[in-house]
Amino acid sequence: MRVVAAVVVVVLALAVPAAAQIYQWTDTEGVTRYTNDRESIPPEYRERAREIDSPQARPEEPGRVEVPATDPSVIPITGAGPIRTSVSINGVGLTLVLDTGADRTVISPAAFARTGLDTGSSRVVSIIGVTGSATAREVTVPLLDVAGARVGPLTVIVHDVGLADIDGLLGRDVLDRFTLTVDSARGRATLVPR
């Protein structure tokens, strides 16, 4: 599985123009493959190859990132599970999982209720994930504190992520504002503002 993920990352990183089309196909061994050159797909798979949207750079969102003049923010890593970090919204501590695959930050309804912020002016949105689609609420929070950095205002998705003891996911809308370095050997992840 690691080899497939590495191949995907390398192929996507090598995609030349940002608007180039990406093609996906699965070979007879069940390995999913990607390319931006349709002619490089073996002929026996070319007809079944499917076009997928190419990854796009995230547009710059309004808002600010404030970081005290200190060393990079350090998040301790414990165990082999997902990387958890403490965040604060409206002064209330929450536990989120760093999710580089999540486009947006997601907070469970129960955790969001603990912040005391109102969802009354939120709008209903459709979300699509690996498990299907659902409706959720989109709410703007004035400030999110993560590992010593304050990001905001930030529009988050209020939806149950279905993980025990986790209040949500810290998505790319926050993580793209930082350089994230994961050092498993030392048991830490660092966030450095860009």
Side-chain angles (χ1 to χ4, degrees):
M1 188 63 173
R2 287 183 188 182
V3 172
V4 173
V7 169
V8 169
V9 169
V10 169
V11 169
L12 292 178
L14 294 176
V16 213
Q21 190 62 45
I22 303 292
Y23 300 93
Q24 172 188 6
W25 79 96
T26 304
D27 66 17
T28 56
E29 295 176 10
V31 176
T32 301
R33 301 185 182 272
Y34 299 86
T35 185
N36 65 339
D37 178 13
R38 184 169 174 75
E39 297 305 310
S40 70
I41 301 171
E44 63 269 24
Y45 302 112
R46 203 170 291 152
E47 197 166 309
R48 292 184 302 208
R50 142 180 115 92
E51 292 182 20
I52 59 175
D53 289 332
S54 61
Q56 301 294 316
R58 174 178 296 283
E60 209 39 57
E61 290 185 25
R64 63 190 184 278
V65 177
E66 299 173 12
V67 181
T70 61
D71 293 331
S73 301
V74 177
I75 300 167
I77 299 174
T78 56
I83 300 172
R84 299 174 182 222
T85 188
S86 297
V87 304
S88 175
I89 297 176
N90 204 28
V92 175
L94 305 174
T95 301
L96 303 184
V97 169
L98 271 65
D99 190 344
T100 58
D103 194 43
R104 304 277 297 279
T105 294
V106 180
I107 309 293
S108 75
F112 194 83
R114 291 195 320 262
T115 69
L117 296 173
D118 185 23
T119 60
S121 63
S122 64
R123 75 181 180 124
V124 176
V125 294
S126 293
I127 57 173
I128 300 171
V130 294
T131 59
S133 62
T135 58
R137 294 209 169 270
E138 186 179 64
V139 182
T140 300
V141 298
L143 214 55
L144 179 138
D145 294 325
V146 56
R150 294 180 298 278
V151 177
L154 179 70
T155 303
V156 300
I157 302 297
V158 178
H159 181 70
D160 186 10
V161 294
L163 297 172
D165 302 327
I166 298 294
D167 295 314
L169 307 173
L170 189 64
R172 286 187 24 240
D173 54 347
V174 173
L175 295 174
D176 281 357
R177 300 167 192 236
F178 300 89
T179 297
L180 170 65
T181 305
V182 178
D183 186 344
S184 300
R186 292 187 177 162
R188 67 183 185 185
T190 55
L191 290 173
V192 179
R194 292 184 181 197

